[in-house]
Amino acid sequence: MAVSEEYLEYIKEMLEGVGSVQSRRMFGGALLTVDQKQLGVVLYEELFFKVTETALQKRFKKEGSVQFTYARKDKTDPVVIKNWWKVPERYLDDKKALEELASVVLAQ
């Protein structure tokens, strides 16, 4: 689940308009927080936001997002982390749109 320092810095720069984005290494990836509130995680060079509201989860799904999953040796089905939703690709090249989406996520 490693994430490169370059990608992590890119994501933090893209999100700088939402406040002071802090990162802390976690499981080879990084946990992202803003004002001590969890925004999301960066795993496998992918950004996932913590989305807890049902309406916002539906929005993410409508935009093609998927929940974070991983395989375990002792399970046949993948484990699904229901509140971690992959940020749709279109946001990753648009700083303003990503910051707006992050603000919505932080407001839930």
Side-chain angles (χ1 to χ4, degrees), residues 25-37:
R25 290 293 178 168
M26 178 183 87
F27 307 122
L31 174 70
L32 301 176
T33 59
V34 176
D35 297 326
Q36 300 179 340
K37 182 171 183 178

Side-chain angles (χ1 to χ4, degrees), residues 10 56 95:
Y10 170 75
L56 192 52
K95 183 176 173 67

Side-chain angles (χ1 to χ4, degrees), residues 30-94:
L31 174 70
L32 301 176
T33 59
V34 176
D35 297 326
Q36 300 179 340
K37 182 171 183 178
Q38 184 179 346
L39 173 59
V41 294
V42 181
L43 301 164
Y44 299 115
E45 306 290 308
E46 295 180 322
L47 176 60
F48 295 84
F49 280 163
K50 182 178 181 182
V51 181
T52 57
E53 288 185 352
T54 304
L56 192 52
Q57 289 175 346
K58 287 179 182 177
R59 174 181 166 185
F60 269 69
K61 188 172 184 176
K62 185 177 180 181
E63 291 193 48
S65 179
V66 294
Q67 295 163 302
F68 178 74
T69 62
Y70 65 94
R72 284 186 34 184
K73 292 179 184 177
D74 61 337
K75 303 256 184 197
T76 55
D77 294 327
V79 176
V80 177
I81 307 299
K82 67 178 185 172
N83 290 335
W84 288 359
W85 288 81
K86 185 176 178 186
V87 173
E89 290 293 322
R90 73 179 191 90
Y91 292 95
L92 299 177
D93 292 326
D94 186 337

